[in-house]
Amino acid sequence: MAPGTVKKEGQQEAPHSGEAGCIHLSNPHLGKMKEDILYHFDLGTNTHDFPALFGDVKFVCVGGSPWRMKAFTQYIAGELNLGDPKEDITNICAGTDRYAMYKVGPVLAISHGMGIPSISIMLHELIKLLYHSKCTDVTVIRIGTSGGIGIDPGSVVITSQSVSPCFKPEFEQIVLGKTVIRSTELDKDLAQELAQCSEEINEFNTVIGRTMCTLDFYEGQARLDGAICSYTEEEKMQYLKAAYEAGIRNIEMESSVFAAMCNISGLRAAVVCVTLLNRLNGDQISSPHDVLVEYQQRPQKLVGYFIKKRMSQV
């Protein structure tokens, strides 16, 4: 294909039953390498025993903040009776300042930074880590914060489908100068299972809806308070109302590549984000700090309940 050509890639089919939920690695070149160095994790196949370290992982939870992922690991340790939630937990990626990684029992928690490029790098190395570790039947969930559209602050959105700023359910990646289009569908059964868990918790509003993934926090999300703005308030409101009419209930900056890469790798995946404000009412987050902290704990509580329930069924 010539530079600029568009190639569409469909959603990766689930692994065959004989594969026992194995990770699908879409790179034939890796088999020729004597060592695979996961540079941004400070891990390597010649220096670390991946199956011994990570072979029991069944749940991977990823989020932007290292602090938040550490707090989640401590919380899940208490929920699963695998440790004291007040005790410090070792950062497996302490040799690098790019990402933080924590593990307790079958749960791996990793920070991914902010935006598509940062989470994309992390996901490449995470998928290889799970493959080298011979993990099977892994569920990956992104937990985080977002801006809501037409719903109250503090509501939790379980993403049914990640869409572009043009409301299309696809992720565009430039590969060798060519545009590659990848599906951003997420596991519908997993979304419903998470929604059922929220009903059982019955502590906060939870909805299943489309999530818009943008490349920017300001102009890309139609804010009026950035350093640059070339549109009117009326135009902003028209755009956000159109997003609501298209079934979009929140905006963040990582879900599209997350969904696309999990699809290609045969991983069951979900995105669970709390909304910190209703963008139809304003652009700036103004809730008190203690309220925001409680909001940010809601996705952790929902996913923690889900993992605990799943493990009780095993």
Side-chain angles (χ1 to χ4, degrees), residues 96-124:
T96 174
D97 62 355
R98 295 298 182 185
Y99 304 106
M101 180 189 297
Y102 304 94
K103 183 178 183 298
V104 58
V107 182
L108 191 66
I110 312 173
S111 68
H112 58 59
M114 187 181 294
I116 286 173
S118 184
I119 192 174
S120 171
I121 295 167
M122 187 281 292
L123 287 169
H124 274 282

Side-chain angles (χ1 to χ4, degrees), residues 69-101:
M69 299 319 295
K70 182 176 183 178
F72 172 75
T73 308
Q74 292 171 315
Y75 171 75
I76 202 69
E79 289 295 296
L80 301 180
N81 295 317
L82 294 174
D84 185 347
K86 296 180 180 179
E87 286 186 0
D88 195 30
I89 296 180
T90 302
N91 175 12
I92 299 171
C93 295
T96 174
D97 62 355
R98 295 298 182 185
Y99 304 106
M101 180 189 297

Side-chain angles (χ1 to χ4, degrees), residues 4-312:
T5 303
V6 176
K7 175 185 176 184
K8 288 198 173 185
E9 296 182 346
Q11 181 172 338
Q12 174 67 31
E13 294 183 0
H16 299 296
S17 57
E19 296 175 339
C22 295
I23 310 302
H24 178 76
L25 205 59
S26 304
N27 183 356
H29 305 290
L30 292 175
K32 304 172 186 177
M33 296 168 53
K34 294 181 180 179
E35 180 181 13
D36 190 3
I37 298 173
L38 309 186
Y39 173 73
H40 301 88
F41 286 170
D42 193 34
L43 298 171
T45 52
N46 286 359
T47 55
H48 297 79
D49 186 340
F50 279 59
L53 289 170
F54 307 106
D56 63 338
V57 169
K58 296 297 181 184
F59 305 95
V60 180
C61 298
V62 304
S65 161
W67 175 86
R68 199 180 302 150
M69 299 319 295
K70 182 176 183 178
F72 172 75
T73 308
Q74 292 171 315
Y75 171 75
I76 202 69
E79 289 295 296
L80 301 180
N81 295 317
L82 294 174
D84 185 347
K86 296 180 180 179
E87 286 186 0
D88 195 30
I89 296 180
T90 302
N91 175 12
I92 299 171
C93 295
T96 174
D97 62 355
R98 295 298 182 185
Y99 304 106
M101 180 189 297
Y102 304 94
K103 183 178 183 298
V104 58
V107 182
L108 191 66
I110 312 173
S111 68
H112 58 59
M114 187 181 294
I116 286 173
S118 184
I119 192 174
S120 171
I121 295 167
M122 187 281 292
L123 287 169
H124 274 282
E125 299 189 12
L126 169 62
I127 291 165
K128 292 196 296 177
L129 180 151
L130 295 173
Y131 177 82
H132 292 314
S133 302
K134 306 184 188 307
C135 294
T136 58
D137 301 313
V138 179
T139 298
V140 186
I141 304 177
R142 165 168 145 66
I143 55 178
T145 59
S146 63
I149 300 182
I151 55 178
D152 291 335
S155 298
V156 172
V157 179
I158 302 169
T159 304
S160 59
Q161 186 183 60
S162 177
V163 300
S164 72
C166 296
F167 309 163
K168 295 180 179 180
E170 58 188 34
F171 171 66
E172 289 190 8
Q173 174 82 321
I174 305 299
V175 181
L176 302 180
K178 307 172 186 66
T179 301
V180 177
I181 306 295
R182 291 171 175 159
S183 168
T184 56
E185 295 289 338
L186 287 157
D187 192 296
K188 292 181 174 58
D189 292 338
L190 180 56
Q192 290 293 340
E193 190 175 349
L194 286 161
Q196 177 61 37
C197 287
S198 183
E199 287 187 19
E200 293 170 13
I201 295 172
N202 194 28
E203 292 183 12
F204 43 80
N205 180 47
T206 299
V207 301
I208 295 178
R210 301 173 96 193
T211 295
M212 181 163 68
C213 183
T214 69
L215 298 175
D216 167 58
F217 185 80
Y218 287 98
E219 288 184 286
Q221 297 188 15
R223 278 184 161 85
L224 301 174
D225 58 343
I228 301 169
C229 183
S230 59
Y231 43 84
T232 66
E233 183 173 3
E234 182 181 4
E235 289 172 327
K236 164 207 161 176
M237 293 304 297
Q238 288 176 346
Y239 178 70
L240 293 181
K241 288 177 180 178
Y244 183 85
E245 291 300 319
I248 297 168
R249 294 296 176 265
N250 64 333
I251 312 174
E252 48 85 89
M253 298 188 290
E254 292 87 17
S255 61
S256 61
V257 70
F258 173 82
M261 292 183 70
C262 287
N263 279 336
I264 292 170
S265 304
L267 287 164
R268 294 190 75 199
V271 177
V272 180
C273 289
V274 69
T275 58
L276 301 183
L277 75 168
N278 180 357
R279 288 294 316 288
L280 296 179
N281 295 335
D283 294 336
Q284 297 203 330
I285 300 168
S286 57
S287 296
H289 176 73
D290 59 334
V291 173
L292 294 175
V293 169
E294 194 277 323
Y295 284 171
Q296 291 174 26
Q297 291 171 347
R298 294 181 178 184
Q300 297 183 19
K301 184 174 290 188
L302 173 53
V303 173
Y305 182 94
F306 162 78
I307 292 173
K308 188 175 181 179
K309 183 178 178 181
R310 273 284 191 90
M311 290 187 65
S312 70

